[in-house]
Amino acid sequence: MQLWEKLHLSKKQLAIAAAVIAAGLVYHFAAAVLNKPQPVAAVPYVRTVTAGTHSTQNYLVYPGEVRGRYESNLAFQVSGKIISRNVNLGDTVHAGDVLMQIDPRDVDENVNAARAGLASANANFLLASDNEKRYRSLLASGAVSQAVYDQYNTQLKAAQSTLEQAEAQLAAALNQLDYTRLVANNDGVISSITGEIGQVAAAGTPVATLVREGEKEVRIYIPENNLASISPGQTAEITFWALPDITVSGHIREIAPMADPVTRTYQVCVAIDNMPPQVQLGMTAKVHFNDGSESLIILPKAAIYQTGDTPQVWIVKNNRVELVPVEIAGYENNSIIIKSGIANGDVIVTGGAAKLTPGQQVRLEGDAQ
């Protein structure tokens, strides 16, 4: 006996039951698929900067060195072997301090000879003076003639001239002795030393440099094709390689009237209005001159997005990005100078640009948050 006959079920009833079971399975399967949570598209974060936060006025930039406005190259006025050096590089000295000394023995002998010559001249002068007095009395009494007296009077004048000559020679010899000591002519700092103990120094050859205490300046060298863009009194901004957080103002104090014969550049002295105490002699500096042209925008190099020949940047407007072509004017360290294509106030993407698409929604962080 068939199973459905045992269960007293007809074929029609079995078909209906199978259809109900199948419909239930389809319903549960469809419900599981339709109720599955759909993934939500993530809105990416991007780092940004605001155009105009950093800009340049088309500065002409020249490297330079911090120097003292008044520098003296010190040299002995007589030749000789250096026997002592009392200063080192960077020492602070005062006017009158003895910096070096050369062997004075030869000069001492000249002084002794001059003193002996003065003593001899003085003795001859005294003798000639006594003779003149005696013969003047004899002339008054008529014991000698006028011619005899004139002879002794002439000897007195000659002895007086010889005495004055001997005094001058002794003074010169004493000056030479004084020149064996190199003396600081002002308060200041020793910036260089070329003379050492044992060295034979020639008269007039610099052996030390003294930077006078007081005003400092920056010396730069400008090529002749840029000379027309600067003038005495023109203002400038000065930065220092060792002090990146310090920017000071200054002005052109002096422009050399002739170019250096080797480099063909002109030395320019830039006075600093308020010299920070951290700035030391010899530091490397950069002097920026405004050439009077329009302001240009500076962006980080990461802001440039380039897939072809045209550089572009992503601009954020209403939390959506647009790709805009730009014209690059130049490069400065890790930054790019933009000539055109964006305006001050535009929000530029600097991080996360690689996966962006035009019109995509983004969330901001950094400067534009």
Side-chain angles (χ1 to χ4, degrees), residues 346-358:
D346 287 344
V347 179
I348 311 298
V349 176
T350 61
K355 298 182 179 180
L356 297 179
T357 58

Side-chain angles (χ1 to χ4, degrees), residues 135-145:
Y135 278 89
R136 189 192 311 156
S137 299
L138 293 174
L139 176 62
S141 62
V144 296
S145 65

Side-chain angles (χ1 to χ4, degrees), residues 330-348:
Y331 300 86
E332 182 177 307
N333 298 327
N334 291 322
S335 301
I336 294 179
I337 303 174
I338 304 299
K339 185 175 182 181
S340 63
I342 58 176
N344 289 337
D346 287 344
V347 179
I348 311 298

Side-chain angles (χ1 to χ4, degrees), residues 246-266:
I246 293 180
T247 300
V248 296
S249 61
H251 62 276
I252 296 178
R253 181 183 64 82
E254 180 182 80
I255 301 175
M258 292 185 61
D260 183 276
V262 177
T263 64
R264 304 307 305 169
T265 57
Y266 290 79

Side-chain angles (χ1 to χ4, degrees), residues 106-117:
D106 292 340
V107 182
D108 280 338
E109 295 301 326
N110 293 335
V111 171
N112 292 335
R115 285 199 175 106

Side-chain angles (χ1 to χ4, degrees), residues 1-2 5 21 41 59 91 127 171 175 181 192 194 205 214 230 252 256 311 313 315 321 331 357 365:
M1 185 178 290
Q2 296 296 330
E5 292 178 352
I21 293 172
Y59 283 115
D91 284 355
L127 177 60
N175 287 340
R181 301 183 306 156
S192 71
T194 57
T205 301
I230 64 170
I252 296 178
V313 297
I315 294 182
V321 293
Y331 300 86
T357 58
E365 64 179 13

Side-chain angles (χ1 to χ4, degrees), residues 43-103:
V43 178
Y45 277 105
V46 291
R47 290 193 302 272
T48 61
V49 295
T50 302
T53 303
H54 303 285
S55 62
T56 175
Q57 295 290 331
N58 260 8
Y59 283 115
L60 299 172
V61 182
Y62 301 97
E65 181 183 6
V66 179
R67 304 285 293 271
R69 176 171 180 176
Y70 303 102
E71 296 184 1
S72 301
N73 293 320
L74 306 179
F76 288 104
Q77 292 180 251
V78 293
S79 301
K81 184 172 71 174
I82 300 174
I83 60 173
S84 67
R85 177 165 70 85
N86 304 323
V87 291
N88 297 305
L89 281 176
D91 284 355
T92 299
V93 298
H94 302 284
D97 288 351
V98 178
L99 309 181
M100 298 183 191
Q101 185 172 1
I102 62 176
D103 191 346

